[in-house]
Structure formats: C-alpha cells, structure tokens
C-alpha cells in the first residue's frame, strides 16, 4: 500500500498543526509521499503566507517597503522552527530572499516561497527527504504541465529517497523560472505526486471531515458524504457544490486512484472517499449521495405544432449557440420544448435569441420566465430504485414547491428540478430531509 498525503494551509498553519500532521504520518507508514501548502490562517483574523507574499510583491511594484511583511513571515516561520526544536535556518533564508527583493523579482518566485519554507520545515520535522517542486514539477514552454517529465522526476525521487516531501503550488518552466499554479494549486501537486508514483490512495487533508451532502448554510448540520464516484462529484460540482476543482482531481481520476478527503483536526473521521466505481452492496439504504443547486436561470419555452417535422428544436439550439447562450437543460413535449439557460451567462443575448427564434422558428408562442433555480439530487443508486422521482416530486409538492422543469440525465445519475428562486432553499431542505437521511 502506498499513499500520497497532501496537507492544506490550515493543516500546517503553526506548530500545533505540524504536530497533528506528524501523528497522522506516523500512524500509517504507507504515507510515503507528502505535499504541503504554505502555512495558512491560525485563526479567522490571521493571514496566509501566500497572501502576505502577494501583498509583498504589490508593495515592491509600487516601491513601498515590504520590511514589515517580511518580518511577519520570518516570525511565523521562526516560531514553528523554535517550538518544534528544528535546525532550519529560517532567519538566514528569509534574509537571503530579502536581499534579492527588487522589482525584477517575479511574483511567481516570490509567492512560491510560502510553500518552499513550509515544506523545508515539515521535511525536517518528519524526517522526509525534501524534494523541491522546481526539480520535479515541470511546465512546458506553453505553460502547461509536462506530465511525462513530472511523472518521471517524482517517481525517481521516491525510488531514491523512499519517503519524500514536496512543496505544493509551483514548478519550473523550461527557462528555469518558477511558475505557480492557480490558487489552491497544491491540490494539483498532490494529485500529480499520487499519479506519478502509482499510489493506491491520494489523501487530501484539510479542515473539514469530507464533502457535505448539502450546503450547511441551507441545511442544518448536513452529514458528510462517505463515498462518491468521480462522475457523481462532477454533477455536484457542476451544480455549485463546493468541492475540489476538477483540474486538481484529473491526474488521480484518470488513473483510477481513490481520493480520500480527510480532516487533520479529526483524524479518526473517515472523511469522503471518491472512487471510480463504487460497489454498493453493503452501503445501507441511502440512495441520494448529495444535493446541490444554483439560482438564477431563465426558461425559454417555445410552442410550435409539428415542431419535429420542422426541426424547430435543432434550429433553436443553433440559435442559442450562435449567441453563446449555454443550454443547461432541455425539456421536451409533443408541441413544445423549454430551454433552460443561466440568466447571467445569457445576459443581453436573450433579446437577440428571442428575435432570432421568432424569425427562424416561426413559433406559435414563445414564453420567457426568469428567477428559476435548479436543484439536483445526485446519486448513483437512484437508477436501481423504482419510484424515486415520484416520491421526490410528491415531497416537493407537499411542501408547496412548484416544479417548473424536470430533467434526468440519460445516465440516471441526477434528477434536476427547476423551481422558483424563492423556493430554492425549501427544495434543498425537503430533498435532504426526505431522502438523504
Ligand atoms: N498557497 C497557495 C494558495 O494559498 C496554494 C495552496 O494553498 O494550495 O492558494
């Protein structure tokens, strides 16, 4: 068994968190690949190292002294070093960086130092070999990840050292310069490391016990999802659930490596396990994996007798495409269909779309309704249970929620209903309380 464990900013925010990480690593010798973010916030009013470094670069750009910020950074790192009785020369390293600070310092190099310093401290504390991301995460000239070279370098580092620690978030361009990924990019580094080494599991350690079944701002204390497939997760993410970014999952997803989201502060919680395919024989009664939704959609309903013979739907889709109006859902009747599109994404193109629809399709009627929300119940197990949608619609009806559109994907992974914006939260609560518990 081989595990790659990535620890986010809050998991490495200070000496106390470092101790928790060490306990986790020592509890399981198969955790041989570790990736860390830069030290994050220790409390709500604290600052992430990465944010301080971005601020520092802004000061440089405007010729304002960043002495104070560098001092804060040095203090935070030195505190960790001293409390954990490490030898790493924080002062010397920060001093050396300071000496190089001028307008020519690239923002990428400067902000990458948050991960670099944090990783140096953590590597010493865990007794793992520090492998600089500049030596194992490679970008091509086009700025895209060079996966082959990256895979080779990480696998070689693991083979050489046995236990490695890599700073997240950055890598090296062919020019030798450092390039950072998008914010939160350490998740990508972790996934790359897991994929490169053929790990059995990619553990993503954070400060929540997994992905929640519904938005906690709407549902009181929702349960975490125990197991979810990558396909379900994609549906939930698309419908607005706050889960890991698709790009950061890709390297492990394509290799079929399981991803386990865990809580550094509650290491005994199993967290959420994301897998390629789930065998659900003993998974209990719950058949909805999660519920997510988004507000502010527009429904365009077109009515035309004999619309099939007239290729009306096809024409309408071409029109939507022409004006870059994304079609999220289609519901189809004999003489009518409804296209659901994000109101903001469509914007003023709505008027062009309507004019074109009238001209091209010559419909009997066109209706537009705004302020629609889409709510999706996602669950791989729904397809094997008859009567789910009937019960779902009844529960919504009993709670006074008027369903405006219904759509079920061909893979039966999600049932999505369109409701009035004002019924958005009620619909989510009804679905959660009635079906997710
Ligand atoms: N430190 C970087 C950020 O704050 C990357 C990461 O945390 O994953 O975005």
């Amino acid at each position: 068994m081989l595990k790659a464990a990535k620890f986010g900013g809050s998991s490495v925010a200070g000496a106390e968190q470092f101790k928790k990480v060490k306990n986790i690593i020592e509890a399981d010798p198969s955790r041989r690949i570790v990736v860390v973010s830069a030290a994050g916030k220790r409390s709500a009013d604290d600052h992430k190292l990465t944010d301080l470094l971005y601020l520092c670069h802004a000061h440089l750009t405007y010729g304002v002294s960043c002495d104070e910020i560098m001092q804060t950074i040095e203090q935070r790192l030195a505190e960790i070093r001293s409390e954990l009785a490490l030898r790493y020369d924080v002062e010397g390293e920060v001093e050396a960086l300071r000496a190089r600070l001028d307008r020519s310092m690239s923002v990428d190099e400067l902000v990458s130092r948050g991960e670099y310093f944090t990783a140096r401290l953590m590597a010493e504390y865990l007794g793992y070999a520090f492998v600089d991301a500049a030596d194992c995460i490679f970008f091509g000239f086009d700025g895209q990840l060079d996966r082959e070279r990256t895979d080779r370098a990480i696998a070689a580092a693991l083979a050489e050292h046995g236990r490695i620690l890599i700073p997240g978030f950055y890598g090296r361009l062919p020019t030798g310069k450092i390039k950072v990924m998008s914010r939160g990019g350490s998740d990508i580094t972790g996934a790359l490391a897991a994929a490169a080494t053929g790990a059995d599991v990619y553990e993503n350690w954070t400060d929540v016990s997994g992905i929640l079944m519904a938005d906690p701002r709407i549902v009181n204390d929702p349960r975490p999802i125990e197991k979810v497939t990558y396909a379900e997760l994609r549906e939930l993410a698309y419908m607005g659930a706050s889960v890991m970014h698709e790009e950061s999952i890709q390297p492990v997803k394509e290799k079929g490596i399981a991803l386990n989201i865990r809580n550094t502060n509650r290491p005994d919680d199993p967290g959420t396990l994301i897998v390629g395919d789930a065998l659900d024989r003993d998974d209990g009664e719950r058949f909805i994996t999660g519920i997510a939704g988004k507000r502010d959609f527009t429904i365009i309903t077109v009515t035309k007798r004999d619309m099939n013979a007239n290729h009306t739907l096809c024409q309408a889709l071409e029109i939507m495409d022409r004006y870059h109006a994304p079609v999220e859902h289609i519901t189809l009747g004999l003489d009518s269909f409804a296209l659901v599109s994000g109101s903001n994404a469509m914007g003023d193109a709505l008027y062009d779309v309507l004019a074109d629809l009238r001209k091209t399709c010559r419909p009997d009627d066109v209706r537009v309704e705004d302020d629609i929300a889409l709510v999706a119940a996602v669950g791989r197990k729904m397809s094997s249970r008859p009567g789910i949608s009937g019960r779902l619609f009844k529960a919504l009806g009993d709670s006074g929620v008027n369903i405006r559109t219904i759509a079920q994907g061909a893979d039966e992974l999600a049932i999505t209903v369109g409701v009035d914006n004002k019924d958005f939260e009620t619909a989510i609560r009804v679905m959660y309380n009635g079906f997710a518990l």
Side-chain angles (χ1 to χ4, degrees):
M1 177 68 85
L2 178 66
K3 293 182 181 170
K6 178 258 168 178
F7 293 88
S10 61
S11 301
V12 294
E16 283 314 305
Q17 295 303 87
F18 267 56
K19 288 180 192 165
K20 292 180 190 169
V21 170
K22 189 169 189 164
N23 285 336
I24 290 167
I25 294 300
E26 289 183 345
D28 185 345
S30 64
R31 294 182 175 127
R32 293 202 284 122
I33 306 135
V34 178
V35 171
V36 290
S37 291
K41 293 182 179 194
R42 290 160 297 183
S43 58
D45 53 4
D46 199 10
H47 302 288
K48 297 178 173 191
L49 282 195
T50 309
D51 291 336
L52 292 173
L53 289 160
Y54 272 115
L55 190 63
C56 189
H57 192 265
H59 278 52
L60 281 180
T61 312
Y62 293 104
V64 179
S65 160
C66 42
D67 278 354
E68 237 177 79
I69 306 172
M70 290 307 281
Q71 185 88 30
T72 309
I73 292 173
E74 185 180 311
Q75 266 170 12
R76 280 200 59 184
L77 295 164
E79 225 173 86
I80 298 175
R81 192 264 329 271
S82 306
E83 268 188 56
L84 302 177
L86 303 173
R87 291 186 318 274
Y88 183 58
D89 181 13
V90 170
E91 289 82 356
E93 291 255 8
V94 175
E95 215 38 63
L97 178 64
R98 243 185 204 178
R100 293 178 47 229
L101 282 186
D102 60 27
R103 283 175 203 219
S104 66
M105 159 82 65
S106 85
V107 61
D108 283 33
E109 180 176 0
L110 182 54
V111 299
S112 74
R113 296 305 87 184
E115 264 72 11
Y116 177 85
F117 292 141
T118 307
R120 288 296 299 261
L121 288 165
M122 187 62 89
E124 183 186 339
Y125 185 50
L126 297 180
Y128 275 40
F130 173 81
V131 179
D132 194 351
D135 297 327
C136 68
I137 305 284
F138 298 109
F139 297 98
F141 281 107
D142 57 358
Q144 300 296 315
L145 277 162
D146 180 340
R147 289 289 304 279
E148 266 179 42
R149 206 171 156 211
T150 298
D151 280 0
R152 259 185 278 124
I154 299 176
L158 183 68
E160 184 182 344
H161 302 289
R163 296 175 177 277
I164 56 174
L165 191 138
I166 308 172
F169 188 42
Y170 70 96
R172 185 152 50 100
L173 287 161
T175 54
K177 287 203 160 55
I178 285 192
K179 174 179 157 56
V180 294
M181 301 166 180
S182 50
R183 292 301 305 262
S186 301
D187 285 339
I188 304 178
T189 311
L192 288 171
T197 53
D200 299 286
V201 184
Y202 168 32
E203 292 181 336
N204 193 291
W205 291 85
T206 165
D207 53 7
V208 288
S209 292
I211 302 167
L212 300 173
M213 291 184 73
D215 187 338
R217 288 167 301 186
I218 299 173
V219 169
N220 192 17
D221 205 11
R223 304 163 67 135
I225 297 174
E226 285 151 30
K227 198 193 283 175
V228 57
T229 63
Y230 282 108
E232 286 175 302
L233 195 70
R234 194 173 136 71
E235 295 270 356
L236 286 168
Y238 185 70
M239 286 306 290
S242 56
V243 296
M244 280 170 73
H245 200 268
E246 176 102 14
E247 187 194 352
S248 51
I249 291 178
Q250 199 52 38
V252 279
K253 180 181 169 181
E254 69 194 20
K255 285 217 161 179
I257 297 171
L259 164 56
N260 192 191
I261 299 179
R262 301 285 293 266
N263 188 346
T264 303
N265 304 317
R266 295 176 59 103
D268 293 333
D269 288 355
T272 297
L273 188 66
I274 305 157
V275 291
D277 280 310
L279 291 171
D280 289 317
R281 263 177 246 122
D282 52 4
D283 258 3
E285 277 307 299
R286 216 175 313 142
F287 51 82
I288 286 187
T289 305
I291 294 155
K294 291 195 279 196
R295 286 190 177 86
D296 296 329
F297 289 88
T298 298
I299 305 180
I300 303 174
T301 307
V302 177
T303 308
K304 183 174 171 83
R305 219 181 130 79
D306 287 336
M307 67 172 197
N308 282 341
N310 290 300
H311 308 290
T312 313
L313 177 59
C314 190
Q315 289 169 335
L317 290 174
E318 270 172 25
I319 291 167
M320 294 292 276
D321 191 43
R322 193 171 310 141
Y323 296 102
H324 307 292
V327 179
E328 307 279 342
H329 282 291
I330 304 173
T331 51
L332 206 52
L334 179 61
D335 290 324
S336 69
F337 58 87
L339 305 177
V340 182
S341 184
S343 311
N344 291 332
M346 190 152 55
D348 288 342
L350 175 64
Y351 305 107
D352 294 323
V353 167
L354 292 177
D356 212 339
L357 275 174
R358 288 202 178 93
K359 194 171 112 218
T360 313
C361 304
R362 306 206 164 278
D364 301 326
D365 186 36
V366 179
R367 257 182 308 130
V368 177
E369 288 159 288
D370 281 327
D371 296 325
I372 298 293
L374 295 180
V375 179
V378 177
R380 60 190 177 274
K381 288 188 258 173
M382 291 193 304
S383 67
S384 56
R385 310 265 179 126
I388 300 296
S389 23
R391 279 173 56 197
L392 199 74
F393 303 148
K394 180 170 184 317
L396 289 169
D398 289 348
S399 304
V401 175
N402 185 19
I403 302 175
R404 314 295 297 265
T405 63
I406 297 169
Q408 183 175 35
D411 50 10
E412 295 185 60
L413 211 51
I415 297 176
T416 306
V417 293
V419 300
D420 292 332
N421 266 347
K422 69 173 174 42
D423 290 333
F424 177 65
E425 300 199 345
T426 311
I428 289 185
R429 277 189 216 109
V430 167
M431 286 191 188
Y432 182 81
N433 294 330
F435 300 90
L437 290 176

